[in-house]
Amino acid sequence: SFLGGMEENRAAPDLPAGSSSLEQVLAAMQGAQHLKVGDPRSGEVGEILDSVLELLQQFSPQFQLNILLFQDLDEGDARKRVFSGGSRQGDPDWLAQRQPGQAVTIPAGGAWRELLPASLLLRSGAEPGKALTVAVPLYAPDTNREAGLLFLQGRTHWSSDYALKLGAKLSRFVTHRWQIHEALNRMINVDSLTGLFNRAFLDAQLSLLVERARRKEAPLALIIADIDKFKSINTDFGLTTGDQVLQMAARRLQEEVRQVDVVCRRGGEEFGIILPDADFEAAREVALRLLDARFETTVTHQGKQVPVVVRFSYGVSVFPDNAVNAKQLHHQAEQMEAFSKDRGRNRCNFFCNDGNHLELRPNSVSS
């Protein structure tokens, strides 16, 4: 069988003689803190890993490097070396038969093309039958969970023993750089008080997701949410209590939306929520759910436990029904949030191009 029986060894293997130059390069790369890790504003796994492979490819032109991830990626995004799969029609049977932790050797020969995933063949720079290919497990940072497989294709003849050992080491390098990128991402993009993404991430992600929606011809909605009369909470109970309320509000907003939705703290008591693939009706359902949700916590004030309940004013705009780009979408949602404040708070207004903005209230709908 071409399936390698090797269980992936997480300890550093001894590489065969003749690999010292590549070993030295890897060691230098591992220790160089200034190396590019991709755009730190991006948290998209495919983009992170593509940037790591791009870096590795510069130092190892004798190999073709690709990653198959065991999760769906947006096929419209431009990546050179990372793709998704593992259980798709047309993929070879060994992908489903392989046991976790098992590395795979695909020998050179006539069956070469039949044993590689179709997506990899489209990206491959190696010639069929000229050199063997190995696939080694790739692990997510700080876990024992397999995230995918790292494929190495030699451009010349090489031994399977060398290829498997080198593949394991390169896989660990990729995981380490992935971890560094995620740490930078958290430092740059995450609000330290609430744990939500911050305003900078909201702006960057909104532009990215609007362009993705445009390519897919899919809708997208943006909700701007502002806690009503938040200043009075700071005045009556103090800033510490205000922070507790913001943390509660952040947690509850996340609980009321889908996992694919992006919840950010724009600053102060304002939040932004991006709803991918949400048209007007889907955004309306979310807005009604938010209006009827309970946002409450209990705080200690003057030695007593005091319940604090807050409400929000919301503004919503939908792409492409209302806006043509991210900037316009953001402006319209902000305009509607301010309109909700002016109209009496604790309500949501939807931007409409004809000026007849739709207004939603808790447990009722009126236009």
Side-chain angles (χ1 to χ4, degrees):
S1 170
F2 67 90
L3 284 177
M6 183 187 81
E7 289 295 318
E8 206 274 336
N9 181 7
R10 304 304 292 275
D14 294 327
L15 293 184
S19 62
S20 58
S21 60
L22 184 55
E23 280 289 274
Q24 291 169 359
V25 169
L26 281 173
M29 291 169 67
Q30 192 74 26
Q33 297 302 309
H34 66 280
L35 281 174
K36 176 185 175 183
V37 291
D39 184 352
R41 294 172 299 176
S42 173
E44 206 276 320
V45 173
E47 184 176 331
I48 293 172
L49 295 178
D50 197 63
S51 70
V52 178
L53 290 191
E54 182 180 359
L55 170 67
L56 268 176
Q57 197 74 75
Q58 296 174 19
F59 291 91
S60 54
Q62 67 271 48
F63 309 115
Q64 177 72 24
L65 303 172
N66 293 96
I67 288 175
L68 178 149
L69 281 178
F70 300 149
Q71 67 179 68
D72 288 333
L73 297 171
D74 191 306
E75 295 300 332
D77 289 345
R79 299 185 196 87
K80 298 178 181 178
R81 301 176 177 88
V82 180
F83 55 96
S84 58
S87 59
R88 299 190 175 190
Q89 186 175 4
D91 280 339
D93 293 339
W94 67 261
L95 277 172
Q97 298 169 0
R98 187 190 68 93
Q99 297 298 311
Q102 189 177 31
V104 174
T105 301
I106 301 173
W112 187 86
R113 285 190 172 275
E114 298 176 8
L115 299 177
L116 286 180
S119 298
L120 177 60
L121 286 171
L122 294 174
R123 293 165 169 79
S124 174
E127 295 182 18
K130 295 297 184 181
L132 65 81
T133 299
V134 296
V136 297
L138 176 69
Y139 293 89
D142 298 320
T143 72
N144 289 319
R145 177 181 61 83
E146 273 192 359
L149 292 172
L150 173 66
F151 284 80
L152 287 83
Q153 293 175 282
R155 300 189 189 279
T156 58
H157 291 290
W158 56 334
S159 73
S160 60
D161 182 61
Y162 171 74
L164 288 169
K165 290 179 179 179
L166 178 60
K169 194 166 188 68
L170 290 173
S171 177
R172 283 190 293 277
F173 179 86
V174 172
T175 296
H176 179 68
R177 301 305 300 182
W178 183 0
Q179 184 175 27
I180 291 174
H181 185 110
E182 288 193 339
L184 287 174
N185 183 279
R186 286 191 295 271
M187 290 174 59
I188 294 172
N189 295 323
V190 176
D191 173 59
S192 59
L193 176 65
T194 63
L196 297 179
F197 291 115
N198 59 23
R199 173 65 184 267
F201 183 86
L202 173 65
D203 292 343
Q205 196 71 3
L206 184 62
S207 296
L208 172 67
L209 292 180
V210 165
E211 288 309 308
R212 184 176 295 174
R214 191 192 309 279
R215 289 198 305 267
K216 294 169 57 179
E217 297 184 350
L220 177 144
L222 174 65
I223 300 176
I224 300 296
D226 187 280
I227 299 177
D228 293 333
K229 301 181 180 180
F230 181 74
K231 291 182 180 178
S232 64
I233 294 174
N234 284 332
T235 301
D236 296 342
F237 299 103
L239 297 179
T240 300
T241 295
D243 287 347
Q244 289 179 256
V245 170
L246 288 171
Q247 291 169 334
M248 174 274 296
R251 184 185 70 255
R252 290 288 295 114
L253 286 172
Q254 286 183 303
E255 291 171 350
E256 293 295 334
V257 298
R258 305 167 300 176
Q259 283 191 334
V260 297
D261 299 330
V262 183
V263 184
C264 305
R265 183 186 178 197
R266 299 177 72 236
E269 66 272 25
E270 274 197 336
F271 300 85
I273 308 171
I274 306 173
L275 308 177
D277 297 309
D279 58 13
F280 181 89
E281 284 302 319
R284 179 177 174 276
E285 290 180 10
V286 174
L288 285 171
R289 185 164 67 248
L290 290 172
L291 285 167
D292 289 334
R294 293 283 293 179
F295 291 86
E296 59 184 336
T297 188
T298 301
V299 301
T300 302
H301 180 64
Q302 296 180 350
K304 298 180 180 179
Q305 295 294 103
V306 180
V308 177
V309 180
V310 297
R311 296 178 176 85
F312 283 85
S313 293
Y314 301 95
V316 184
S317 185
V318 178
F319 171 89
D321 293 354
N322 307 131
V324 298
N325 54 43
K327 183 177 180 180
Q328 188 178 31
L329 186 73
H330 196 282
H331 175 73
Q332 291 170 350
E334 277 189 319
Q335 183 182 348
M336 291 299 96
E337 180 269 318
F339 193 57
S340 293
K341 290 283 190 187
D342 293 341
R343 297 267 295 179
R345 302 185 180 90
N346 189 28
R347 63 193 66 204
C348 176
N349 275 272
F350 275 71
F351 186 90
C352 294
N353 293 329
D354 60 6
N356 295 316
H357 308 308
L358 174 72
E359 183 171 286
L360 309 179
R361 299 184 188 181
N363 297 312
S364 66
V365 182
S366 61
S367 58

